[in-house]
Amino acid sequence: MQAFEFVRIDDPAAAIAEGAKSNTAQQGASVRFLAGGTTLVDLMKLNVERPERLLDINRLPLDKIEQLKEGGLRIGAMVRNSDLAHHPVVQRDYSVLSQAILSGATVQLRNMATTAGNLLQRTRCVYFRDTAMACNKREPGSGCSAIHGFNRTLAILGTSDQCIATNPSDMNVALAALEATIHVQGAKGERRIAIGDFHLLPGDTPQRETVLEPGDLITHVTLPPPIAGSKQVYLKLRDRASYEFALASAAVVLSLAGEKVSRARIALGGVGTKPWRSPEAEAALDGQMANKESFRKAAEAALRDAQPQSQNGFKVELAKRCLAHALHMAATSGPA
Ligand SMILES: Cc1cc2nc3c(=O)[nH]c(=O)nc-3n(C[C@H](O)[C@H](O)[C@H](O)COP(=O)(O)OP(=O)(O)OC[C@H]3O[C@@H](n4cnc5c(N)ncnc54)[C@H](O)[C@@H]3O)c2cc1C
Ligand code: SF4
């Protein structure tokens, strides 16, 4: 691990001012915020991340979960994943988020991991984590070892000829289905970013993963008011039952009017280069009977543009079955 300076920060303004001295907020950043450390420290040990300065933001007052007067929920950036998943309002009104978080990692990791850190966790592509291998995301212009290499776990939606890495987060998939907003304070003031606009597709610049700029501090995430009576499911399919990332997952927030779908919000994980909201599947379900035939049609629509590689073609059918089954589970379950 490269030597670095460790700085404890007590005040958001100081964090922003110090963070703004970084050359970038993307791959290769010279200054990084340290939250739970479960992504960052791992990557520093592998020399994939080599910050010169580490700003410990664990003392910042960003660890509250609050119900908003106008409805909705405000989640501090430093709220630990365990606290979020077990919060009674999240379990009652946003259960898809609780289910998604609890499907990931381990109890110990979730006790450390934070809301902002989870939003910004990096891909698990094995070549990204191995500095001996070519990787456009880690070293722009060096090539992509995965496209003709081990790509079984990688993405089939949103890929480019430069990068096919999957966004590995479960939490992000639920936040996409819940239409979350990310709140950022930076050198130029405050911004609100819809989760769909927060992560970037790889295109020709896979090293650029989000819209964040140097000094941008995520302060909190907000969720809109809950949809009364909605049924919520997070279904995650993986190689083993725990301590494993998704091969395919689906977050579903479903409202029914009688036997018909009145509203569906759908996002997929394990298959996209970013948390993958599917307006195609949502439109395919609108006003349709809530039955297996409609659910399969929605799943077909969600995966219509899939572009599999040499080893991950199985994900197309897996993701379809995952989404169709998640919709069936939601439709036949009680309210959230
Ligand atoms: C063995 C293992 C298994 C795992 N399994 C899963 C899984 O199954 N599913 C899953 O979803 N995840 C899984 N994870 C990933 C885990 O969820 C993430 O590592 C964790 O959420 C990151 O949060 P953190 O607070 O530790 O982030 P950190 O490592 O502290 O930070 C991550 C990034 O976020 C930046 N950052 C942190 N806070 C802020 C802020 N407020 N503003 C701006 N930037 C910020 C940091 O600078 C850094 O670049 C696993 C991790 C491990 C190690
Ligand atoms: S898929 Fe992306 S992260 Fe993986 S080797 Fe290719 S460029 Fe790197």
Side-chain angles (χ1 to χ4, degrees):
M1 187 191 293
Q2 174 177 291
F4 59 89
E5 186 188 359
F6 183 81
V7 186
R8 278 219 171 85
I9 303 273
D10 293 321
D11 165 48
I16 294 162
E18 288 301 316
K21 295 176 186 165
S22 189
N23 55 334
T24 173
Q26 308 294 327
Q27 177 61 26
S30 54
V31 184
R32 282 283 189 212
F33 298 129
L34 177 71
T38 61
T39 285
L40 183 56
V41 175
D42 251 15
L43 293 176
M44 287 172 67
K45 288 183 193 161
L46 296 169
N47 274 322
V48 172
E49 290 262 22
R50 306 176 69 189
E52 292 156 21
R53 299 190 87 205
L54 215 50
L55 308 177
D56 179 358
I57 57 172
N58 279 279
R59 292 185 187 181
L60 297 188
L62 301 174
D63 59 352
K64 301 272 182 304
I65 301 174
E66 296 158 293
Q67 283 185 278
L68 298 169
K69 273 193 206 131
E70 62 274 24
L73 201 67
R74 176 188 163 113
I75 303 161
M78 294 302 296
V79 170
R80 306 288 161 178
N81 284 181
S82 293
D83 294 334
L84 184 55
H86 292 296
H87 193 278
V89 175
V90 175
Q91 290 190 325
R92 187 190 65 205
D93 293 339
Y94 305 99
S95 73
V96 67
L97 179 57
S98 180
Q99 295 169 50
I101 292 172
L102 293 177
S103 77
T106 60
V107 173
Q108 292 87 344
L109 284 160
R110 295 194 295 267
N111 287 345
M112 288 301 293
T114 62
T115 307
N118 199 330
L119 271 168
L120 292 169
Q121 67 169 285
R122 313 294 303 279
T123 184
R124 309 304 289 196
C125 173
V126 291
Y127 304 108
F128 173 70
R129 296 169 66 86
D130 181 349
T131 55
M133 305 302 294
C135 169
N136 287 325
K137 187 183 278 299
R138 179 171 32 74
E139 191 79 45
S142 63
C144 172
S145 302
I147 285 180
H148 299 296
F150 177 72
N151 53 45
R152 177 177 175 274
T153 60
L154 298 186
I156 52 175
L157 289 165
T159 57
S160 74
D161 60 3
Q162 301 289 306
C163 181
I164 56 169
T166 320
N167 183 298
S169 169
D170 294 298
M171 184 193 81
N172 290 350
V173 184
L175 290 182
L178 290 169
E179 303 182 303
T181 302
I182 319 300
H183 298 251
V184 172
Q185 272 182 29
K188 294 178 195 156
E190 290 184 26
R191 284 168 13 250
R192 294 161 169 235
I193 306 160
I195 183 149
D197 299 329
F198 182 77
H199 297 95
L200 300 174
L201 293 173
D204 292 335
T205 52
Q207 75 281 8
R208 192 165 175 78
E209 294 179 349
T210 67
V211 295
L212 292 184
E213 299 291 341
D216 278 348
L217 177 73
I218 298 175
T219 54
H220 58 283
V221 172
T222 50
L223 301 180
I227 309 299
S230 66
K231 295 153 173 262
Q232 305 185 14
V233 166
Y234 186 73
L235 179 62
K236 176 175 178 179
L237 306 182
R238 47 191 156 168
D239 280 331
R240 58 183 175 190
S242 77
Y243 202 38
E244 187 56 277
F245 291 88
L247 289 169
S249 70
V252 167
V253 181
L254 194 68
S255 303
L256 301 181
E259 294 184 351
K260 292 193 171 173
V261 175
S262 57
R263 184 181 187 279
R265 292 293 178 270
I266 291 170
L268 302 176
V271 289
T273 51
K274 59 186 263 185
W276 201 261
R277 173 95 179 257
S278 180
E280 298 85 358
E282 293 168 9
L285 278 176
D286 199 22
Q288 301 301 308
M289 292 295 289
N291 59 27
K292 287 188 177 173
E293 196 187 351
S294 312
F295 298 156
R296 178 70 196 186
K297 278 187 187 155
E300 298 280 352
L303 274 298
R304 192 165 294 140
D305 295 331
Q307 287 194 312
Q309 306 293 330
S310 56
Q311 297 177 348
N312 65 3
F314 74 97
K315 279 195 176 192
V316 180
E317 182 58 25
L318 189 73
K320 286 180 189 173
R321 292 187 189 190
C322 181
L323 174 53
H325 194 60
L327 286 163
H328 172 71
M329 287 169 71
T332 53
S333 71

